[in-house]
Amino acid sequence: MHLRASAIVVAVRQHGEHGAIVRALTRNDGVQPGYVRGGRSRAMRPVLLQANVIQGEWRARTGEQLASLTAELVHSRATLHGEPLAAGALEWATALAAAALPEAQPYPQIHDALDGVLGAIESAPSARGWAAALVRYELLVLAELGFGLDLDRCVATGAEDDLGFVSPKSGAAVSRGAAFGYEGKLLRLPDFLLAGGEAAWPDIFDGLRLTGHFLARDILVDRRADPLAARDRLVDRLKRAVA
């Protein structure tokens, strides 16, 4: 096995006294794990940070063996790790990819969406500039893994307009008229997920509540602790910042 590709670092775990096991998301070959000799060294720690882009070279004698990985830094997002909101967003966005995606299976749309979200976090002047993109990224992960929400028409009436809620059981949209009297049992569907564009904070938090419900139920059900803890920390930081 020999692979050379650009990749986004999505997880790093210390291995032994000096090494690290790194998982990185490539566009065409999916998540690729590898052992980096000296990965905990002073020289390599700034390279092997979540959300950094590396040029990786993976080598293994067999397909069952953990590959050795050499990594060269292509693009660093190290400075963002010192900013609480941005750091929390980087941690969660990459942790979701690391936890949800099976290894060595290509998901080019998820790769591109993650790259776009990380770029937005890096360039936006405030969290509001990237928070809506994060919700759309979560929605795409659900869809790409076979748990997409049906937001095209009302599950009760078939109507394609006035959609305002989502059933927490079926993941299908519900119109405001059909939801009357049952709003408390449904999840709010913010307009920006249907029409695009910018979003106000109440809509962003509604979007996070919506995607969070289905991520926890359908994708991270057996891996809840670490990834969802990172998400909870991020949402709490966003709420404190807005307040």
Side-chain angles (χ1 to χ4, degrees):
M1 180 268 196
H2 180 208
L3 172 67
R4 183 171 173 82
S6 173
I8 301 169
V9 176
V10 294
V12 181
R13 178 166 58 87
Q14 184 173 347
H15 185 78
E17 188 174 352
H18 303 292
I21 295 177
V22 177
R23 304 180 74 221
L25 177 60
T26 69
R27 191 176 196 278
N28 297 321
D29 296 280
V31 173
Q32 293 289 334
Y35 173 74
V36 179
R37 188 181 300 274
R40 302 300 299 169
S41 68
R42 184 173 298 178
M44 289 304 298
R45 279 201 303 268
V47 175
L48 302 177
L49 288 176
Q50 287 172 267
N52 278 0
V53 179
I54 60 170
Q55 184 70 23
E57 187 165 8
W58 291 261
R59 293 180 181 271
R61 293 179 180 175
T62 68
E64 292 74 29
Q65 181 184 29
L66 178 64
S68 64
L69 168 63
T70 58
E72 299 176 5
L73 182 63
V74 173
H75 181 71
S76 175
R77 295 189 170 102
T79 57
L80 296 178
H81 286 268
E83 303 174 17
L85 279 178
L90 297 184
E91 180 187 14
W92 160 242
T94 54
L96 174 57
L101 301 184
E103 292 180 357
Q105 294 190 26
Y107 289 92
Q109 291 191 59
I110 293 180
H111 173 278
D112 293 350
L114 176 59
D115 188 54
V117 168
L118 298 177
I121 296 168
E122 189 172 18
S123 61
S126 69
R128 186 177 169 186
W130 51 256
L134 182 65
V135 177
R136 295 189 184 100
Y137 163 66
E138 294 179 345
L139 202 62
L140 176 68
V141 171
L142 285 164
E144 287 288 294
L145 293 179
F147 300 99
L149 307 187
D150 182 5
L151 305 181
D152 293 332
R153 57 184 56 82
C154 175
V155 66
T157 67
E160 297 181 2
D161 55 0
D162 197 33
L163 303 177
F165 297 89
V166 173
S167 165
K169 293 183 178 179
S170 69
V174 182
S175 68
R176 291 179 176 84
F180 182 75
Y182 298 93
E183 294 90 344
K185 297 181 179 180
L186 301 172
L187 297 164
R188 288 186 55 83
L189 174 59
D191 290 339
F192 79 93
L193 290 182
L194 299 174
E198 297 183 355
W201 278 115
D203 287 340
I204 290 170
F205 288 123
D206 283 340
L208 288 168
R209 192 174 302 110
L210 173 66
T211 52
H213 170 81
F214 292 102
L215 286 171
R217 190 191 74 176
D218 297 327
I219 292 181
L220 301 175
V221 61
D222 295 325
R223 293 157 284 184
R224 294 191 152 195
D226 293 339
L228 288 181
R231 190 181 193 274
D232 290 343
R233 287 193 295 271
L234 171 60
V235 173
D236 286 343
R237 289 176 186 176
L238 288 171
K239 288 179 177 179
R240 289 198 301 270
V242 172

